[in-house]
Amino acid sequence: MDSCIRQGDIVLFQGDSITDSSRNRDDPSDLGKGYASMIAGLYGAALPQRQAAFLNRGINGNRVKDLEARWRQDCLELKPDVVSIYIGINDCWRRYDRNDPTPVEVFEAGYRKLLVRTKEELGARVILMEPFVLPVSEDRRAWRDDLDPKIQVVRELAREFGALLVPLDGLFAQASVTAPSAFWAPDGVHPSPAGHALIAKAWLKTAGAMVW
């Protein structure tokens, strides 16, 4: 398949703490310490002639409603050519730790608004990433009741909007056959360095930008 990243493109990573990955908010070019930085490094080293630029605007703790609130400043005004969205685990988690659920209908409506605005105002190419959870602790197993319908929403929106889909939930389940779940995500949510590398490889493959 052809790469969705073209000459001189701006690629924007959006999402929650998994995307944020301790980036320096005072430095707009900082990519954090996770998959976004790995992707930019691998792609840039393999294809420097394309001069692609990578931006990270993930913010720890964000849900879909938070992306909605900052989408103009942190997406539309940056004028990216490729928008990668990785959101959903906090829309699930807050139900269990704060009794503050996000109904699946609300999650879907908010996510759809982001995609409509992105397509209509930018015409950007879009990559959606599934949220995932691993059963590192027993309580994480219960999250499936809330998260699975949201994963299905992401898949359906990818079809509806012609976006690329990075199937992380199945990928991490598959990886957990070869090594314990905690190896990939110590708390079942936040990836280890190996987990971030797994995400980066899957993203590059999905984007048609295999660089090794």
Side-chain angles (χ1 to χ4, degrees):
M1 76 182 259
D2 293 335
S3 173
C4 77
I5 305 173
R6 301 169 186 168
Q7 185 74 30
D9 271 357
I10 297 172
V11 180
L12 173 66
F13 297 104
Q14 263 293 1
D16 50 38
S17 60
I18 301 172
T19 301
D20 183 331
S21 198
S22 302
R23 68 182 177 88
N24 180 1
R25 307 283 176 79
D26 295 324
D27 180 0
S29 66
D30 188 69
L31 293 169
K33 301 175 181 177
Y35 77 88
S37 180
M38 293 178 182
I39 289 168
L42 287 167
Y43 189 89
L47 297 166
Q49 69 275 14
R50 291 199 180 171
Q51 293 292 289
F54 294 85
L55 300 173
N56 185 349
R57 292 297 183 271
I59 293 182
N60 181 46
N62 267 197
R63 293 187 266 182
V64 161
K65 67 178 183 180
D66 301 302
L67 295 192
E68 284 189 83
R70 61 185 182 86
W71 206 242
R72 177 152 300 282
Q73 176 183 353
D74 284 349
C75 178
L76 303 179
E77 291 180 1
L78 299 174
K79 300 187 184 305
D81 303 285
V82 178
V83 178
S84 175
I85 305 174
Y86 186 1
I87 200 71
I89 192 60
N90 291 315
D91 294 87
C92 167
W93 200 340
R94 296 295 84 86
R95 169 181 170 181
Y96 297 98
D97 68 349
R98 298 182 189 174
N99 193 28
D100 183 15
T102 302
V104 67
E105 297 81 9
V106 174
F107 177 79
E108 181 176 4
Y111 212 139
R112 179 175 281 106
K113 288 178 184 177
L114 297 177
L115 296 175
V116 168
R117 293 174 71 188
T118 301
K119 287 292 189 179
E120 289 184 350
E121 298 193 39
L122 296 176
R125 300 178 294 283
V126 176
I127 300 175
L128 303 186
M129 305 171 72
E130 292 178 359
F132 75 90
V133 66
L134 292 175
V136 171
S137 57
E138 190 60 34
D139 69 313
R140 299 295 192 260
R141 296 179 187 275
W143 291 14
R144 281 288 163 192
D145 288 343
D146 190 278
L147 188 62
D148 283 352
K150 292 182 170 71
I151 292 171
Q152 189 60 38
V153 163
V154 176
R155 294 170 180 172
E156 291 172 356
L157 288 173
R159 283 193 290 268
E160 180 180 339
F161 286 86
L164 296 175
L165 177 71
V166 187
L168 292 182
D169 190 56
L171 184 69
F172 272 87
Q174 181 184 46
S176 294
V177 174
T178 59
S181 293
F183 175 81
W184 303 106
D187 64 354
V189 173
H190 296 95
S192 64
H196 275 287
L198 194 69
I199 294 171
K201 289 180 67 176
W203 192 98
L204 286 164
K205 180 180 180 181
T206 299
M210 297 293 286
V211 295
W212 55 83

